[in-house]
Amino acid sequence: MTAVDEARERGRELAAALAADGVAGVTIAWADNNGIPRSRTVPVASLPEVAVAGVGVTTLFAVFDTNDAITFAAPGLQTPSGDVRLVPQLDRVTRLAGQPAFAWAPGRQVTADGGPWAFDQRSVLERTVARLAEDGYSALVGYEMEFGVFEPPQDDDEDALVPAHPGPAYSPHALLPIHDFVASVMRDAEANGLRLGQIHAEYGPAQVELSIAATDPLTAADQQLLARQTVLAAAEAHGLRVSFAPLPTLAGAGNGWHIHTSLWRDGENLLAGGPEGPRGTAGAAYIAGLLRDLPALAAVTAPSVGSLARLRPGFFAGAFGFWGVENREAPLRFVPGSALLGEDHANVELKVSDASANPYLALAALLSAGAAGVEENLAPPAPVGEDPGTWKKKERAAAGIAKLPTTQAEQEEALAANPRIAGVLGEELLGAFLAVRRADAAWAQEKETEEVLAAWRWKY
């Protein structure tokens, strides 16, 4: 049996099982260069053929900006002509507990003849994982996802934000007004195959955080998209609105989507270690690689105008380039193992990450930067246990600590000057990514920051 025959047969089996469960359609999702989920939904009966040939989508999704406008400034995508095929990943088909008439699957974009398409973001992470495996590495990735939960608009005022819970921060009391919603998220997540670590009221009014257990990178990226769909469906069912935006409003708390990673070789976590840091030079080199590439990495993991507005000193957002052990102001926070959790629990948390990042590109860039540090046997500077934002400029300069890029132009400069991170995306995809970033920046240039945040509040 050929691969095409196998895909068609698997599609036929899935279609029959889903139809028997009352599923009407399968939503095939991907994330664009703004981190915004896009999709096509097909009748369940068509799944056998869609599993083989996919469904057609325009090439121009690669150059949609955050406002759904199309920029024709990217080489190779300068006309309205062109089509690619969106192929569902059948091993990830999930019936949605919160939308029982629908199933969900991540998709890959391929050329009309089924070949690789340079602008497909999921393929970038697939190649990165394959390269790591060739070098003897694997990785574990876990997400912490913060979001705001709000009441529906009052008196047709779409800009009014009414927190669905008033706090206090981290209190069980805060979740009482939204306990039905939280319960639905937990039940639906389990039914959808998402293993949650915890869910709680976060620091800001209306803010909630959920964590997803660590898994392999591709699964982690897919699950990040699935988690969004799960949360939004639960909110819709309970008459609530959810904002995943990096900063829903200047007066509120920012939403970081922190990425926890660990690099493994021969069954060993290279980051294993206690409060003093990784016990081996390879784990320290992984941190050094991330730190070296952090300005360019942040241009991929926190790329939007909202991301830059969130990047404020003193807000646990990681505004300066340094690392620390359990330092929540550090953009790179080493989380040590312990006698209770085991040394293999150790990982590095990237705080400069949010919903406006394409998860596949973010993980590909992050893992590539860390692995390069290991291969080059880099050594990081000493960890910092304080908040450099409280230091004088000359103190930060003496410690070699600089502020991360704060404008789109600075992020682009950092990305263009870094062949490792730019090379992960590839020339064509990088061109589309930067064209979208420029389009967003140009649109926002003459507007107040609050107006931009309001326009993008519900996009992600």
Side-chain angles (χ1 to χ4, degrees):
M1 184 181 289
T2 67
V4 168
D5 292 335
E6 289 179 357
R8 184 176 286 111
E9 180 58 30
R10 180 59 181 145
R12 192 175 292 121
E13 293 171 356
L14 282 169
L18 292 171
D21 282 343
V23 173
V26 179
T27 296
I28 310 168
W30 76 99
D32 72 5
N33 285 323
N34 314 287
I36 297 174
R38 310 287 183 179
S39 70
R40 289 286 192 268
T41 299
V42 299
V44 69
S46 69
L47 192 54
E49 292 308 313
V50 172
V52 173
V55 59
V57 297
T58 174
T59 57
L60 295 177
F61 275 117
V63 285
F64 268 50
D65 67 17
T66 304
N67 299 304
D68 293 341
I70 299 169
T71 173
F72 289 96
L77 296 171
Q78 294 173 314
T79 76
S81 302
D83 208 50
V84 291
R85 308 299 295 180
L86 177 67
V87 181
Q89 302 305 286
L90 298 185
D91 60 332
R92 301 288 163 90
V93 172
T94 302
R95 186 188 181 189
L96 296 171
Q99 299 171 263
F102 293 89
W104 178 97
R108 290 178 68 247
Q109 297 165 81
V110 300
T111 62
D113 60 4
W117 190 51
F119 300 92
D120 177 56
Q121 298 92 347
R122 194 174 193 272
S123 297
V124 173
L125 182 54
E126 290 175 341
R127 291 194 297 270
T128 299
V129 171
R131 283 196 298 269
L132 289 176
E134 290 172 1
D135 293 334
Y137 300 113
S138 63
L140 288 177
V141 177
Y143 268 97
E144 293 178 1
M145 301 169 62
E146 296 172 341
F147 52 91
V149 185
F150 301 94
E151 298 287 351
Q154 307 294 317
D155 302 322
D156 297 322
D157 184 0
E158 284 289 336
D159 291 331
L161 285 179
V162 180
H165 80 70
Y170 309 106
S171 171
H173 303 166
L175 295 185
L176 288 174
I178 57 171
H179 70 275
D180 287 336
F181 160 71
V182 173
S184 291
V185 169
M186 296 183 75
R187 293 190 184 105
D188 292 351
E190 182 177 4
N192 290 347
L194 298 172
R195 189 159 61 93
L196 300 187
Q198 59 179 316
I199 186 168
H200 61 269
E202 249 291 338
Y203 186 74
Q207 196 174 40
V208 172
E209 178 183 287
L210 64 80
S211 61
I212 305 175
T215 184
D216 69 274
L218 269 172
T219 300
D222 289 342
Q223 289 188 343
Q224 192 241 57
L225 294 181
L226 179 56
R228 298 195 214 189
Q229 191 73 20
T230 302
V231 171
L232 289 172
E236 181 72 20
H238 292 282
L240 299 169
R241 295 198 298 178
V242 164
S243 176
F244 297 132
L247 191 61
T249 175
L250 282 172
N255 294 320
W257 284 15
H258 305 159
I259 308 174
H260 291 256
T261 63
S262 55
L263 191 70
W264 296 67
R265 184 170 55 199
D266 299 327
E268 177 187 1
N269 181 2
L270 301 183
L271 287 159
E276 71 287 347
R279 66 166 179 261
T281 58
Y286 181 78
I287 293 172
L290 294 175
L291 186 60
R292 175 180 62 177
D293 290 339
L294 189 57
L297 178 60
V300 178
T301 61
S304 68
V305 175
S307 304
L308 295 169
R310 172 182 167 263
L311 203 62
R312 300 173 288 186
F315 281 78
F316 289 5
F320 295 93
F322 70 101
W323 77 284
V325 178
E326 293 287 25
N327 185 343
R328 284 173 169 76
E329 272 296 332
L332 295 171
R333 169 180 168 245
F334 177 70
V335 182
S338 67
L340 180 63
L341 299 172
E343 282 200 334
D344 279 347
H345 173 77
N347 63 83
V348 175
E349 176 190 37
L350 175 71
K351 284 185 168 291
V352 192
S353 169
D354 58 55
S356 67
N358 179 289
Y360 303 101
L361 299 184
L363 294 187
L366 189 161
L367 294 171
S368 296
V374 177
E375 290 299 295
E376 297 176 41
N377 199 28
L378 300 182
V384 175
E386 303 173 35
D387 176 7
T390 64
W391 298 357
K392 296 178 180 178
K393 286 185 179 180
K394 63 181 181 180
E395 293 174 318
R396 288 195 294 268
I401 296 175
K403 200 168 187 179
L404 293 179
T406 58
T407 67
Q408 184 275 328
E410 289 177 358
Q411 283 196 326
E412 180 170 340
E413 182 180 0
L415 191 52
N418 189 305
R420 285 174 300 278
I421 302 301
V424 170
L425 275 66
E427 183 178 356
E428 292 168 296
L429 179 52
L430 178 62
F433 182 84
L434 292 178
V436 169
R437 301 277 68 77
R438 293 170 192 148
D440 276 357
W443 176 84
Q445 186 172 13
E446 303 301 324
K447 297 175 175 61
E448 296 293 332
T449 301
E450 193 68 71
E451 182 182 354
V452 177
L453 299 181
W456 295 354
R457 188 172 290 148
W458 315 109
K459 291 284 189 178
Y460 305 102

